[in-house]
Amino acid sequence: MTDLVLSETRDGIAILTLNRPEKLNALNYALIDRLLAVLDDMEVDDSVRAVILTGAGERAFSAGGDIHEFSASVALGVGVAMRDFVMRGQRLTARLEAYRKPIIAAVNGIAFGGGCEITEAVPLAIASDRALFAKPEINLAMPPTFGGTQRLPRLAGRKRALELLLTGDWFAPPRALELGLVNEVVPHAELMPAAFDLARRILRHSDLAIAGILTAVARGLNQSIAEGLLVEAEQFARMAPTADLREGLNAWIARREPGYDGSWTHIARPDEARRA
């Protein structure tokens, strides 16, 4: 059986590839379940420090949900469709959004529907100049169901998001960049090198600090500023006793490159901090 999610790791960076190129990497239930399982494994794998997510083949990142499978679930009733399709897709995008290691979407082609919603959910994204985006669910007489009605307005603003959600029109990479859906647009041949470069620029820093920033942003973004500041303070409190923070401070004072331990269990004792 073909593996629905291909995986390889280079220099601490995992490349996950949605692998249904003959179906434009449509998100069937088995692919979503497999991707969730791989993400679970990698989150506790210390050899993986960042993830790049892309699509197999030359045509698509992901064309969205598998409509034939979804249609069969709808035919069995709203309860089945909610359980099998809606909740599964929302579980995936929520997992991507809250992941404690950086995930970079390398959007190599079509990113329609669920593929666009994955791009909205991940913390970082780079698009090939061949990419194409759309929110086409309205063409099926339904709203988006993997979080698109909620995340796109937060990224792009209410009116600009509603134009895309209500028309179903496709939009090109420069528009995606303008809307804040992607961080950068690059020539197709430079897509993976650009994703690796971004990952490496992040991984110069403490894994613990990276996780704290990702968590603070994901948890605080949709709260009031006062509640968000509490989340930020909580993440600092987690970092304060770590060896990584002490090393970062010592390296800055000594004007040298830091060497991070990266372990929550390696705590700098107060007497060590005072001596430093």
Side-chain angles (χ1 to χ4, degrees), residues 29 32 73 76 79-89 91:
Y29 301 159
I32 293 174
S73 294
L76 294 174
V80 173
M82 287 290 294
R83 181 197 66 201
D84 290 353
F85 184 71
V86 177
M87 300 313 295
R88 183 183 259 109
R91 190 159 58 247

Side-chain angles (χ1 to χ4, degrees), residues 1 16 54 71 82 92 114 173 190 212 221 231 243 260 276:
M1 179 179 176
L16 301 183
T54 193
S71 179
M82 287 290 294
L92 172 62
E190 297 176 18
L221 187 63
V231 174
Y260 294 114

Side-chain angles (χ1 to χ4, degrees), residues 131-275:
L132 204 60
F133 301 86
K135 310 293 297 181
E137 291 88 349
I138 197 165
N139 296 319
L140 302 175
M142 59 179 273
T145 55
F146 291 7
T149 63
Q150 302 306 304
R151 291 189 180 92
L152 188 61
R154 286 166 168 79
L155 286 167
R158 174 171 169 260
K159 286 181 170 58
R160 295 195 295 181
L162 278 169
E163 178 186 349
L164 301 171
L165 291 163
L166 293 174
T167 64
D169 292 346
W170 62 265
F171 53 104
R175 179 68 166 156
L177 182 63
E178 176 196 345
L179 295 173
L181 185 59
V182 300
N183 297 84
E184 186 179 4
V185 178
V186 298
H188 187 73
E190 297 176 18
L191 177 62
M192 293 306 289
F196 269 95
D197 177 68
L198 177 56
R200 290 188 183 108
R201 287 189 284 127
I202 293 168
L203 297 184
R204 296 174 299 174
H205 306 295
S206 160
D207 289 345
L208 307 186
I210 292 167
I213 289 168
L214 288 168
T215 298
V217 172
R219 286 178 51 195
L221 187 63
N222 299 321
Q223 300 187 42
S224 70
I225 186 67
E227 291 166 327
L229 289 171
L230 290 175
V231 174
E232 181 176 275
E234 174 190 285
Q235 292 305 307
F236 169 76
R238 291 195 73 198
M239 283 296 302
T242 64
D244 273 13
L245 178 56
R246 177 44 48 195
E247 171 62 9
L249 293 169
N250 288 346
W252 189 90
I253 291 167
R255 298 175 182 258
R256 61 170 172 81
E257 289 297 316
Y260 294 114
D261 174 81
S263 171
W264 290 109
T265 60
H266 186 178
I267 304 297
R269 296 194 302 271
D271 58 334
E272 293 175 341
R274 282 193 294 272
R275 284 198 301 272

